[in-house]
Amino acid sequence: MKKLALHWQIIIGLVLGIIWAILSSKLGWSQFTIGWIAPFGTIFINLLKLIAVPLVLFSIINGVSNIGDPSSLGRMGGKTLLAYLITTILAVSLGLVLVNVIKPGKLIDEQSRIDNRISYELWAGSQNLEIKDGVNYLHDPKFLDRAERISDLSRSELKDATVNEKMNTANQAKEAGPLQPLVDIVPDNIFKSLADNGLMLQVIFFALFFGISLLFIPDEKSKPVEAFIDGVMEVFLKMVALIMKAAPFFVFALLAGVVSKMAGDDIGKVVEIFKGLSWYSLTVMLGLGLMIFVVYPAIFKMFIRVISYFGFFKAMSPAQTLAFSTSSSAATLPVTMECVEDNLGVDKKITSFVLPIGATVNMDGTCLYQAVAVVFLAQLHMIDLTIAQQLTIVLTATLASIGSAAVPSAGLVMLIIVLQSVGLNPAWIGIILPVDRILDMMRTVVNVTGDATVCSLIAKSEGMLNYQEQKEKEVTV
């Protein structure tokens, strides 16, 4: 019998985890699930967290240093990076607008959200983190009984678990100068930044600074460093691959544990969780659909003009189909290059430069999904993120996209980074895991479509787009 593909194994693990959670909720086995199965899900999260920070560090350094000699990049390199940056910011901003308008996390039962909120406050207290919106349900005596049921803490311990002292931190932040956020991005000790999950922007800043500096030193000095960075990158990618081999079991344990913790022995809460997930999925799909069918065509209409709406999709359909089936921008890259060169008429000099960079740094679909996912998870736990915190999501998601490997589910690893950047629990990725695979396939289509759009835009600006000569030819399959 042919071995099942990994993504099918993961989907089976997801389904079994959900079935187990429903059964344990119905039969009163939730404590057994939490005590004996959920810890393996925690191990999975710890393994991903173990890899996430160094993976971002070395990926960004590798991506920036591979751009090449800065003196030879010239006008085209600057335009390429600027165009990718703009489309990424557009995608994240669109995601934030949709999730704030639709509010998918607020469309489930309020009692379930209150329990989620109490769990969040207990977690924040255990991590010595400030409550994001300054509201503390554990201060209210009427919620202490519910908190006792949710946790193993006594009433007195729950009172001690409140985070009064964190409010002082919040007040100090209010008294800081207007440029304090900029100061906070620049680390004074990179090893401290690497050790502290809340200082991810400092790690990204260091990686960008290191990678750019590599471009300005002689080749004989930079090449050994680049080879080392490239080798380390390969090791971390292999670590991801090895972890993913055990992902079906880990995902089963994670889903069973997360759903059991949120629902307890109340099966009605399980229904509410998946009702919320359906609204979350629709929000993400709406955002991805708008990027593919509205934003990118609008860019073509305004700046490229010579390629029709349906002509573009006809030209790119082979690459989009492969992207959907593989969930990998890297695996799709050869077909993307063929479609862009043969069907859109872009010169090979442009595609060989712009598309490989895009497969590394341009993750529009991934960034949009991360923005929606973080705010959805915050809404699910009754956390109102401020504009400043949501701008942090934009910045972190945009910069972390540089370090997002172009392989299936890499966005899930990066989501941990974005959650940590705004002080939320990275284990919450388990809540959205049941629908992640199908959304991963769809956001990869957005990533590839964005690469082709930017590539055509750069070719048009450089006078290397020959679509008029190509449009009568048979589309490459």
Side-chain angles (χ1 to χ4, degrees):
M1 182 176 164
K2 188 177 178 181
K3 186 179 179 182
L4 277 175
L6 179 62
H7 65 271
W8 287 115
Q9 295 179 40
I10 291 173
I11 289 171
I12 291 170
L14 288 171
V15 173
L16 291 177
I18 293 165
I19 291 171
W20 179 272
I22 293 171
L23 285 175
S24 65
S25 177
K26 192 171 183 178
L27 300 174
W29 298 347
S30 291
Q31 286 306 313
F32 171 81
T33 302
I34 292 168
W36 292 92
I37 295 177
F40 292 101
T42 304
I43 291 170
F44 182 50
I45 296 296
N46 288 345
L47 286 170
L48 292 177
K49 287 169 66 178
L50 172 70
I51 290 171
V53 176
L55 182 62
V56 167
L57 175 67
F58 290 106
S59 293
I60 293 176
I61 294 173
N62 188 60
V64 174
S65 63
N66 282 339
I67 290 174
D69 181 3
S71 63
S72 67
L73 288 179
R75 184 180 62 255
M76 189 171 75
K79 285 193 292 190
T80 299
L81 294 176
L82 180 61
Y84 280 139
L85 181 64
I86 290 171
T87 59
T88 300
I89 292 174
L90 278 174
V92 180
S93 302
L94 176 62
L96 287 177
V97 169
L98 289 174
V99 76
N100 281 288
V101 170
I102 298 172
K103 296 182 172 61
K106 294 185 178 181
L107 296 175
I108 70 165
D109 175 54
E110 186 178 2
Q111 297 306 312
S112 299
R113 292 177 64 225
I114 291 173
D115 288 347
N116 294 345
R117 172 69 192 213
I118 293 169
S119 297
Y120 158 69
E121 291 185 10
L122 291 169
W123 172 82
S126 70
Q127 300 293 313
N128 292 319
L129 292 174
E130 172 195 342
I131 296 294
K132 288 288 111 180
D133 51 13
V135 179
N136 199 320
Y137 276 52
L138 292 179
H139 280 163
D140 192 333
K142 71 180 181 182
F143 291 118
L144 287 178
D145 289 337
R146 296 177 73 164
E148 281 186 277
R149 290 198 302 270
I150 292 169
S151 69
D152 295 327
L153 301 176
S154 67
R155 183 176 288 265
S156 61
E157 289 172 324
L158 283 167
K159 289 179 179 178
D160 292 338
T162 59
V163 286
N164 280 327
E165 67 277 7
K166 308 302 179 301
M167 298 306 296
N168 295 328
T169 306
N171 292 330
Q172 290 171 9
K174 289 178 183 176
E175 295 170 4
L179 294 181
Q180 189 60 41
L182 186 62
V183 173
D184 291 339
I185 290 174
V186 182
D188 59 0
N189 184 333
I190 186 57
F191 297 103
K192 178 184 175 185
S193 304
L194 288 167
D196 192 332
N197 291 327
L199 302 176
M200 207 46 229
L201 284 178
Q202 294 187 359
V203 174
I204 293 173
F205 173 86
F206 175 81
L208 289 170
F209 193 22
F210 192 100
I212 292 169
S213 299
L214 269 178
L215 298 176
F216 288 92
I217 62 175
D219 283 351
E220 63 270 18
K221 302 287 186 183
S222 65
K223 290 301 179 187
V225 179
E226 290 173 8
F228 170 75
I229 297 292
D230 192 54
V232 172
M233 261 293 297
E234 288 300 316
V235 172
F236 279 111
L237 289 175
K238 179 55 69 176
M239 290 172 75
V240 172
L242 292 173
I243 291 170
M244 292 309 289
K245 285 184 183 297
F249 169 71
F250 282 138
V251 163
F252 162 78
L254 184 62
L255 256 294
V258 167
V259 175
S260 292
K261 285 177 183 175
M262 293 179 70
D265 292 330
D266 183 357
I267 197 168
K269 289 186 179 178
V270 178
V271 175
E272 287 296 329
I273 291 167
F274 288 100
K275 187 171 108 179
L277 279 180
S278 65
W279 282 107
Y280 156 73
S281 302
L282 288 171
T283 305
V284 174
M285 287 190 283
L286 176 60
L288 297 177
L290 288 173
M291 287 299 296
I292 293 175
F293 298 112
V294 178
V295 175
Y296 295 137
I299 293 172
F300 268 88
K301 182 71 174 174
M302 287 188 288
F303 300 107
I304 301 173
R305 297 189 179 93
V306 296
I307 303 174
S308 69
Y309 184 91
F310 292 106
F312 172 70
F313 288 106
K314 183 180 179 184
M316 289 305 301
S317 58
Q320 290 173 324
T321 304
L322 186 63
F324 185 81
S325 60
T326 63
S327 296
S328 170
S329 302
T332 312
L333 183 58
V335 177
T336 307
M337 295 181 77
E338 186 179 8
C339 289
V340 173
E341 290 171 16
D342 296 346
N343 302 338
L344 295 179
V346 175
D347 192 283
K348 190 173 183 178
K349 291 179 182 177
I350 300 291
T351 60
S352 62
F353 175 79
V354 177
L355 290 178
I357 291 177
T360 305
V361 306
N362 185 48
M363 300 287 171
D364 294 349
T366 303
C367 288
L368 184 149
Y369 134 82
Q370 288 172 345
V372 174
V374 172
V375 179
F376 163 74
L377 291 169
Q379 292 170 350
L380 200 62
H381 291 79
M382 300 188 79
I383 303 165
D384 292 321
L385 295 175
T386 64
I387 295 297
Q389 288 159 354
Q390 295 197 28
L391 288 175
T392 301
I393 295 171
V394 173
L395 183 59
T396 310
T398 300
L399 295 178
S401 70
I402 297 172
S404 233
V407 296
S409 299
L412 205 58
V413 179
M414 293 304 109
L415 181 58
I416 289 176
I417 299 297
V418 182
L419 282 167
Q420 289 177 332
S421 74
V422 286
L424 301 179
N425 190 348
W428 291 349
I429 66 167
I431 297 170
I432 59 173
L433 266 177
V435 293
D436 185 71
R437 180 62 192 182
I438 186 68
L439 295 180
D440 189 19
M441 296 162 77
M442 295 179 67
R443 61 185 182 250
T444 305
V445 177
V446 174
N447 294 342
V448 168
T449 307
D451 293 347
T453 301
V454 169
C455 193
S456 303
L457 182 64
I458 300 303
K460 173 71 173 176
S461 70
E462 295 289 320
M464 296 184 184
L465 182 66
N466 302 304
Y467 180 72
Q468 291 293 341
E469 300 172 12
Q470 303 287 331
K471 65 179 181 180
E472 299 300 327
K473 293 176 65 174
E474 191 70 29
V475 171
T476 301
V477 178

